[in-house]
Amino acid sequence: SSSDNANSNINVNKVVQKAVVDELTSLLSPENTKTYKMKRNKPNVILFVGLQGAGKTTSIAKFANFLSEKRVEDCYGLRRYIPCRGF
């Protein structure tokens, strides 16, 4: 029935959301933190993660300014808001 499919989709969504949260938490936990060294003449990807209003945009602007002061030549930013529902 359609209600069984809806419940199944909700369960799959929750499992995927939990897996993403768990993986990000393990990647960003203090015991796994290493100093990152920027690679010159190669793309460097930096991920900013946080809740709405946590200061991601401000942090990205400050980081871009820092890179500019360090004379990193090409700095591009892409921001995509992906709402996370159910938490």
Side-chain angles (χ1 to χ4, degrees), residues 10-72:
I10 290 170
N11 290 337
V12 169
N13 289 343
K14 287 186 182 244
V15 168
V16 169
Q17 287 175 348
K18 182 172 179 356
V20 169
V21 168
D22 290 346
E23 186 63 23
L24 285 173
T25 301
S26 72
L27 287 171
L28 300 173
S29 63
E31 65 270 6
N32 293 328
T33 303
K34 299 175 194 159
T35 302
Y36 179 77
K37 297 194 183 215
M38 299 286 282
K39 295 171 184 75
R40 292 215 177 260
N41 301 319
K42 291 190 175 190
N44 292 273
V45 177
I46 300 166
L47 174 67
F48 289 81
V49 179
L51 299 174
Q52 292 178 15
K56 294 176 299 299
T57 302
T58 302
S59 297
I60 291 166
K62 288 180 178 182
F63 189 67
N65 186 55
F66 170 80
L67 292 177
S68 176
E69 288 174 356
K70 295 292 182 185
R71 305 214 189 281
V72 174

Side-chain angles (χ1 to χ4, degrees), residues 71-85:
R71 305 214 189 281
V72 174
E73 293 176 3
D74 294 321
C75 184
Y76 300 99
L78 172 64
R79 181 175 173 222
R80 174 135 190 245
Y81 167 68
I82 303 172
C84 184
R85 296 186 179 106

